[in-house]
Amino acid sequence: MLHEPNYADLRQAAERLAGVAHQTPVLTCAAADRSTSARVFFKCENFQRAGAFKFRGAYNAIALLSASEKRAGVVTFSSGNHGQAIALAARLQSVTAVVVVPRDAPASKIAAARDYGAELVFYDRQTENREDIARRIAREQGRALIPPYDHPHVIAGQGTAAKELFEEVGALDYLFVCLGGGGLLAGSALAANELSPNCKLIGVEPERGNDGQQSFRLGRIVTIPVPDTIADGARTTHLGEHTFRIIRDAVEDIVTVSDRDLTQTMRFFAERMKIVVEPTGALAAAAVLQKGFALTGRRVGVLISGGNVDATTFGELVAR
């Protein structure tokens, strides 16, 4: 039985990732500071290996498998970024990987996972249960199941992004974090509690996929239907057991943004900061830039979670 992750796990994950994961840049933007009357620091995980923060947790989780588990290989389920991350992390550690992926996942994410060497198993997210499929494969093939967020080693790995941010810029008043299943937010909470204990954590998810917000308000995990949102990485239906316990105790609030907020934020990043951010990756920034939070004079961190969006889709979204 795996124990609940803590900061020691996060620190050890950072040691495993040293020289493997990119220490992604922290960018600032005068226009963002002016519009918020704050000092805003953007941690750009869109520049991470495999294009998203997910590489951190995937690599850490595979690295902690036993030799026999590595020989048997791994399986996961993912709408895209975690699948890519597992595929690359497995290849780097000479481990085979199977990724259960929805048929309607972005083509660029499917192609990347395949290019990294993973075997893909497709499913219909409206009628089939991806976790059941992955568990069956794990049972039949003897593979280790590494879920996309609800796993202590994944959470610890994801938290290294926030750890790097705090170590580079110092204590923050607020940290806004994209929220799907909760791995990044939970890991960020572990980092904040140790490195910036007065920092208020705000999770941000799509309006149409606010299972995390409902869970936070009610004090129990709420499951919703698959949400219809352009933030494909946040089309989760519920938080995880591990992630919810950490989020419930450590997060200040969970807020939502609209798809329109996301496209406006993607356009801002492209025009003003010259970077490509996928819809899910823009969640946290959309809350800061579009929702009018009272941030005057504050030091604000924003985690940009990923940049995996194909060129045609990106063009269509920012042109809206």
Side-chain angles (χ1 to χ4, degrees), residues 4-5 185-186 188-190 192-193 197 199-201 212 215-217 219-220 239-254:
E4 288 293 295
L185 183 56
S188 297
L190 298 179
N193 185 60
C199 178
K200 295 179 179 178
L201 261 69
S215 301
F216 187 73
R217 300 277 193 273
R220 58 177 175 81
L239 298 177
E241 296 286 347
H242 294 287
T243 60
F244 175 68
R245 283 192 288 268
I246 296 170
I247 290 168
R248 177 193 59 198
D249 296 338
V251 170
E252 179 74 13
D253 199 7
I254 295 175

Side-chain angles (χ1 to χ4, degrees), residues 58-118:
Y59 190 92
N60 187 55
I62 292 175
L64 285 165
L65 296 175
S66 67
S68 61
E69 288 173 323
K70 288 180 179 178
R71 285 193 297 272
V74 298
V75 60
T76 193
F77 48 91
S78 168
S79 62
N81 283 343
H82 179 68
Q84 289 178 239
I86 284 289
L88 176 57
R91 191 185 75 183
L92 292 172
Q93 298 178 77
S94 300
V95 174
T96 63
V98 174
V99 179
V100 179
V101 61
R103 292 189 179 91
D104 62 349
S108 60
K109 295 183 179 183
I110 291 173
R114 184 177 283 122
D115 288 346
Y116 288 137

